[in-house]
Amino acid sequence: MKKLYAALMTAFDESGNIDEQGTREMVRYNIDVNQIDGLYVGGSTGENFMLGTAEKKRVFEIAIDEAKGSNIDLIAQVGSPNLHEAKELAKYVTDLGYETISAVTPFYYNFNFEEIKHYYDEIVKDVDTKLVVYSIPALTGVSLSLDNFAKLFENEKIIGVKYTNADFYLLERLRDRFPDKLILSGFDEMLLPALALDVDGAIGSTFNINAQKAKAEISAFEAGDIDKARKLQHESNDLITDLLNNGIYATLKLVLQELGVNAGYTREPMAKATPEVKAGAKKIYEKYFK
């Protein structure tokens, strides 16, 4: 069965400090209740790009410690426009016991492809872990072509891609050209078409609360029941629409609170949840989960 990964959230207290207990509770909820296949730690959903290096290390420590003995896959996202930090984090998580790392494409400075390739080669050069490229052009502004991926995959340590890209023509071409590479879909709202293009699984933020329905969709697809899979995707997309309209990160945490998980707050400059957002999150909980 194709694997489902939750993009782990980070709990913060009202002052913006990491809430260790809350973060542990989210790891446990994903393992014990969602029965997730894996966790993607330190990604966009974890508000990673607003954390300092020491804070990132602490999140990696919490996740692997709390997941100990659970037999789930853990992927540590170590990417950063600061290559020195990315390399430091790659070594750090390898020493912690992570077997797979990921790295977002370097962003902001309009790096050319040779600079991007150098970045990835450097991150994996001194570690034994395997790397999954994190491609999310809508947020980074970095689009990789089929030939770009081919050149990255020449490095045997680069085993695949977290593909958060709406270009499904490129996705089909990737799967056709690289049948043995790991391709994990990154858009929860497009899980079904990604499954149809033979991805190996999916990583997403809404799987923190919607994993059971997503897993049922994967099972229906693999059983050939496309009508059921389509119905489940429609229901998930109704939820995703409501989450997006209410402010997705704060709302995910508020729904988790309703589910008994101390998910904490978002970190500034993300806005604190207003009374209206809190009311909206409660309606979402009651509509979909009560």
Side-chain angles (χ1 to χ4, degrees):
M1 185 172 173
K2 298 177 187 297
K3 291 187 174 182
L4 196 74
Y5 295 74
L8 183 66
M9 307 192 82
T10 305
F12 299 97
D13 64 22
E14 288 190 86
S15 298
N17 302 306
I18 292 172
D19 181 336
E20 177 173 332
Q21 181 57 36
T23 304
R24 286 182 179 275
E25 286 185 31
M26 287 192 283
V27 174
R28 286 252 58 88
Y29 186 83
N30 271 302
I31 294 169
D32 299 336
V33 178
N34 288 336
Q35 298 183 323
I36 210 79
D37 297 302
L39 290 172
Y40 189 81
V41 186
S44 310
T45 306
E47 300 171 59
N48 171 77
F49 303 111
M50 296 182 287
L51 301 183
T53 305
E55 291 175 313
K56 293 176 184 181
K57 288 179 178 180
R58 188 63 195 133
V59 172
F60 291 133
E61 291 168 0
I62 292 166
I64 197 167
D65 181 64
E66 194 60 40
K68 189 166 47 186
S70 65
N71 202 34
I72 66 166
D73 296 340
L74 292 174
I75 301 175
Q77 196 294 123
V78 301
S80 166
N82 180 343
L83 179 56
H84 291 282
E85 181 190 47
K87 292 182 68 172
E88 179 182 343
L89 290 174
K91 183 178 186 311
Y92 189 78
V93 298
T94 301
D95 291 343
L96 282 176
Y98 284 81
E99 296 180 358
T100 308
I101 60 176
S102 182
V104 69
T105 49
F107 52 88
Y108 186 81
Y109 286 105
N110 294 322
F111 298 102
N112 63 41
F113 178 70
E114 288 308 311
E115 292 168 326
I116 292 170
K117 186 176 186 304
H118 173 74
Y119 162 90
Y120 282 112
D121 288 339
E122 280 293 306
I123 289 173
V124 296
K125 184 175 71 173
D126 299 320
V127 295
D128 293 329
T129 41
K130 303 299 184 183
L131 183 139
V132 174
V133 174
Y134 180 12
S135 178
I136 182 167
L139 294 184
T140 62
V142 180
S143 295
L144 297 172
S145 70
L146 190 62
D147 288 339
N148 290 159
F149 278 110
K151 289 177 182 177
L152 292 177
F153 290 156
E154 288 173 1
N155 187 324
E156 292 182 357
K157 291 182 178 180
I158 300 177
I159 62 168
V161 55
K162 178 181 185 283
Y163 190 86
T164 311
N165 187 347
D167 184 348
F168 273 38
Y169 172 66
L170 176 59
L171 175 58
E172 190 278 334
R173 297 288 81 191
L174 273 173
R175 174 44 74 211
D176 178 69
R177 187 163 173 183
F178 306 107
D180 298 325
K181 291 297 182 181
L182 180 69
I183 302 179
L184 297 169
S185 173
F187 274 134
D188 309 12
E189 62 271 31
M190 293 190 280
L191 174 59
L192 182 55
L195 292 171
L197 292 176
D198 199 27
V199 295
D200 298 291
I203 300 169
S205 55
T206 65
F207 303 147
N208 283 280
I209 61 173
N210 196 43
Q212 293 302 318
K213 185 161 287 183
K215 290 177 76 171
E217 181 180 332
I218 292 171
S219 295
F221 176 83
E222 293 185 333
D225 191 344
I226 303 304
D227 286 341
K228 181 178 180 181
R230 189 183 298 116
K231 177 178 180 291
L232 290 167
Q233 183 70 69
H234 174 77
E235 291 171 0
S236 291
N237 284 359
D238 283 345
L239 167 63
I240 291 167
T241 298
D242 288 345
L243 289 169
L244 289 169
N245 287 340
N246 202 57
I248 189 164
Y249 292 120
T251 304
L252 281 170
K253 290 183 174 182
L254 289 165
V255 172
L256 281 167
Q257 296 280 10
E258 295 288 344
L259 291 166
V261 182
N262 175 27
Y265 301 84
T266 53
R267 172 176 266 197
E268 293 179 340
M270 288 189 183
K272 292 288 192 296
T274 63
E276 291 77 16
V277 169
K278 291 177 182 178
K282 190 167 185 63
K283 287 181 182 178
I284 290 170
Y285 163 72
E286 291 173 346
K287 180 178 178 181
Y288 295 99
F289 300 102
K290 195 166 182 181

